[in-house]
Amino acid sequence: MWDDADTAIGGNRDRFPSTQVSLIEAAAGEPLALERVVALYWKPVYKFIRFKFRKDNEAAKDLTQSFFASALERDFFQRFDPSKAGFRTYLRLAVERFAANRHEAENRQKRGGGVEFANLDEQASGTESPEDIYFQEWRRQLFALAIEDLRAACLEAGKHTEWAVFEAYDLAEGDRPDYAELARRHGVAQTSVTNYLSWARRRLRAMVTARLRGVTSGEGEFRDEMRRLWS
Amino acid sequence: MELSDSVLLHLRDVVDRPDLDGTRYTLEEEIGRGGLGVVYAALDTRLDRRVALKVMDAEWAGEARLIARLEHPGIVPVHDSGALPDGRVYYAMKLVAGTRADHYIAGDPPLAERLRVVHRVGEALAYAHSCGVLHRDLKPQNVMVGAFGEVYVMDWGVEGVAGTPAFRAPETQLDQRSDIYALGACLRFALPPGAPPALIAIAGKAMSREPAFRYPAVTEVLREIERFQDGVAVEAYAESPWQRIRRFAKRNEVLLWLLAAYAGVKFILFFARRL
């Protein structure tokens, strides 16, 4: 239902359970930890490259894919030093260096042909910097992955109504149905709608937290990211 | 999955908002975000009074117990603590009506008032240290100045708090001298342009990179500030003879005027008798 053709290369997120795996494990080459990092960062990196270097969709996808392939080959995670910067910043700076090198090499090859600018029909406004877009996409993707975790957990536990109520209310675009309408639609009491939503929101918060712990290096960085995430 | 901006905004709001069902509090509005959590104004329905409710990002029941131990006029009293259904910990404390110290200082109060605020902060810090509690993130943004001049130090820290760069001591292993560094940084922040060099020196000594060169205790910083206020030489500043004379003259202004008047009268009388 939320397929995004532009970034489908990011992988099937349903594979990622909401267990806590850490950057430490990613650094040690643990595949699940690495996949979780890539699942979260693929799209923010892709958007960052598109806006920072004004690449079209395919070129940005290729560059993003090359970056992650190169990062995994070159001990990228092992070289991360949490005392210097948070992982999100570290990764963005690495992307910037990587993409800038490629971008320059491509421009040299064009030999006076000039740079081709892509049409950027994305939702970003003119005032947002590529760094802002990177952060916003990172936050968006973190929530998206946690919602997928929540959906998987609901289906696995047989909590179909809880998921349906949450999806109909909290994921609704535009006007939200009122609680009475939701109660009628799902054949439950109105208080149950309130309880289902409270439960789902609590679970979602826990899943966002678990995802975030998996991509931060320690308590300090985790707290900083939590603060940024909700502010 | 592609979440629109509006859905994301809604989710961030409803997912982060504390669920206070089953507690004695009803949520009003968010009033601040700190390093450890979010502070909301809430109504204590049992006592029918407004309180500040701090909801922690993580499961740190220890912080509320830690702060509840501190009873000092410069430390906001904790009324109650508990856990939300999602595991987050909250505690209720006095809702302070006032101005954050950085905003208060921006209002350009006189030097004596700036020093009073810093001194009150130091008193609260000295008391906490005597109880074995560190602040770990002391900065003007964590100090409130009330409508009647009361000064409260907020956001007492717990293990793992990184601190704020401009006010954070360079060492990684924090102890009381790290808080002294932050107090020095607060003093430096509070000083107006062209502040007396003795005060700048006090702040500088408290902010020495090497902890051993700082004041050994907060009370020593307070004594230095008091020495300056009393017109006595401060230990942190080696003044020139001329500065010493000026300070002496200023400190003993009344006495010097009386002596001058006495000498003047004697002088006049001396010549009057010879006429």
Side-chain angles (χ1 to χ4, degrees), chain A residues 2 4 43 123 139-140 143-144 147-148 170 172-173 176 201-202 204-205 219 223 227 229-231, chain B residues 1-8 10-12 14-16 19 33-35 60 85-86 88 160-161:
Chain A
W2 291 290
D4 177 9
K43 197 163 179 181
Q123 47 191 298
R139 180 159 63 185
R140 193 190 309 278
F143 270 88
I147 290 169
E148 292 291 2
D170 278 341
E173 292 288 355
R176 295 193 160 75
R201 289 166 184 172
R202 279 202 304 274
L204 181 59
R205 195 177 200 287
E219 200 61 30
R223 270 201 300 271
R227 193 165 62 245
L229 185 66
W230 302 107
S231 59
Chain B
M1 176 186 293
E2 184 66 34
L3 292 173
S4 69
D5 285 347
S6 64
V7 170
L8 186 60
H10 168 76
L11 283 173
R12 281 170 52 209
V14 297
V15 171
D16 196 39
D19 177 4
R33 275 177 188 266
W60 295 322
D86 63 11
R88 279 183 288 171
V161 169

Side-chain angles (χ1 to χ4, degrees), chain B residues 3-214:
Chain B
L3 292 173
S4 69
D5 285 347
S6 64
V7 170
L8 186 60
L9 193 66
H10 168 76
L11 283 173
R12 281 170 52 209
D13 179 32
V14 297
V15 171
D16 196 39
R17 191 186 304 157
D19 177 4
L20 294 175
D21 276 359
T23 72
R24 59 198 277 184
Y25 306 102
T26 54
L27 204 64
E28 292 186 350
E29 81 262 75
E30 182 181 320
I31 53 177
R33 275 177 188 266
L36 298 170
V38 187
V39 183
Y40 298 90
L43 180 70
D44 179 344
T45 54
R46 200 176 296 165
L47 295 174
D48 193 25
R49 67 174 175 185
R50 294 181 81 218
V51 295
L53 204 70
K54 182 163 183 178
V55 179
M56 314 293 278
D57 284 335
E59 301 81 5
W60 295 322
E63 196 207 354
R65 279 198 292 273
L66 181 93
I67 299 164
R69 268 173 38 206
L70 304 176
E71 290 186 56
H72 186 273
I75 299 173
V76 182
V78 171
H79 301 317
D80 181 25
S81 71
L84 298 176
D86 63 11
R88 279 183 288 171
V89 168
Y90 69 85
Y91 60 85
M93 54 190 166
K94 176 187 166 75
L95 183 65
V96 178
T99 311
R100 244 170 50 178
D102 53 329
H103 297 156
Y104 187 73
I105 296 296
D108 199 20
L111 179 63
E113 174 59 8
R114 293 166 189 252
L115 293 180
R116 184 190 73 84
V117 171
V118 174
H119 197 278
R120 295 298 296 272
V121 170
E123 287 170 5
L125 196 61
Y127 165 77
H129 284 183
S130 75
C131 299
V133 174
L134 300 180
H135 190 288
R136 297 174 191 274
D137 191 18
L138 184 64
K139 55 185 174 181
Q141 292 83 346
N142 282 340
V143 175
M144 291 286 284
V145 182
F148 300 99
E150 59 281 35
V151 176
Y152 290 105
V153 182
M154 333 269 288
D155 267 342
W156 290 84
V158 291
E159 289 289 342
V161 169
T164 304
F167 298 89
R168 181 176 61 205
E171 63 270 16
T172 49
Q173 194 67 38
L174 302 185
D175 61 15
Q176 292 189 359
R177 298 215 185 195
S178 316
D179 275 351
I180 290 170
Y181 180 99
L183 182 63
C186 287
L187 173 61
R188 191 71 193 83
F189 177 87
L191 295 179
L199 287 173
I200 295 171
I202 295 171
K205 182 174 177 182
M207 293 174 73
S208 298
R209 278 195 70 78
E210 183 57 53
F213 296 157
R214 295 176 203 154

